[in-house]
Amino acid sequence: MNIFRSMEISASALTAQRYRMDVIGENVANATTTRTADGTPYRRKFTVFEEKRQPYLFSEWLQVSQERIGGAGVRVVDMGEDRSPFRLVFDPGHPDANEDGYVEYPNVDIEKEMVDFISATRSYEANITVLNNFKSMAMKAMEVGR
């Protein structure tokens, strides 16, 4: 196994989690946006990840079957929209109120977004720890080589 593959995997996870945090931030920022460019309330967005697949290095490839593929991290493949219904709030004075006085608010739940944000942050921190440990091991290996 390539010694730098762990760095590659952690770096891809850092990128994916940063993107996830950006999307969560967009959701929180638009939690009260009742009218977007298309005239509807803002819809909550979420990220979809998948494993990055990559063949082993050629020397390793010769030693394993052709079906075996090595994992190479994670990547963002899509940003989906949550299709759950909008929240209805009675506010007859609001400019976007319907004839019954109800306003459709985005389907963003701030508590859920905060839980997702904490999860993404912890994952990001864990991958930083992996990179720091790798750096420390590499430094120790260089000291041994002296």
Side-chain angles (χ1 to χ4, degrees):
M1 177 176 202
N2 185 345
I3 190 168
F4 295 104
R5 185 152 308 161
S6 63
M7 284 182 61
E8 190 180 324
I9 291 168
S10 287
S12 71
L14 288 172
T15 302
Q17 293 301 336
R18 182 199 47 81
Y19 186 79
R20 180 178 171 207
M21 287 187 275
D22 289 346
V23 170
I24 292 168
E26 180 182 337
N27 289 340
V28 170
N30 287 293
T32 58
T33 303
T34 58
R35 191 179 323 159
T36 59
D38 64 359
T40 62
Y42 175 83
R43 247 186 216 287
R44 178 182 178 272
K45 293 178 176 58
F46 59 90
T47 53
V48 179
F49 297 154
E50 90 174 358
E51 178 185 11
K52 263 205 268 187
R53 306 289 288 177
Q54 164 179 320
Y56 284 105
L57 297 175
F58 185 70
S59 60
E60 294 173 299
W61 185 262
L62 294 175
Q63 299 170 8
V64 296
S65 71
Q66 295 234 342
E67 293 84 37
R68 187 164 178 196
I69 302 290
V74 65
R75 67 186 180 115
V76 177
V77 291
D78 195 13
M79 182 171 66
E81 283 190 347
D82 186 349
R83 303 309 295 173
S84 62
F86 295 121
R87 291 180 297 125
L88 285 177
V89 177
F90 184 72
D91 187 3
H94 194 283
D96 291 328
N98 63 16
E99 58 277 350
D100 297 326
Y102 286 93
V103 179
E104 285 185 321
Y105 276 92
N107 57 353
V108 176
D109 180 4
I110 296 295
E111 290 83 12
K112 180 178 178 1
E113 298 302 319
M114 293 311 295
V115 169
D116 286 349
F117 189 78
I118 290 168
S119 170
T121 302
R122 296 242 169 100
S123 178
Y124 192 90
E125 290 169 350
N127 282 288
I128 290 288
T129 301
V130 168
L131 287 174
N132 285 336
N133 287 341
F134 178 82
K135 183 175 77 171
S136 176
M137 288 188 317
M139 294 300 289
K140 292 289 184 189
M142 286 177 27
E143 287 176 14
V144 169
R146 285 188 205 170

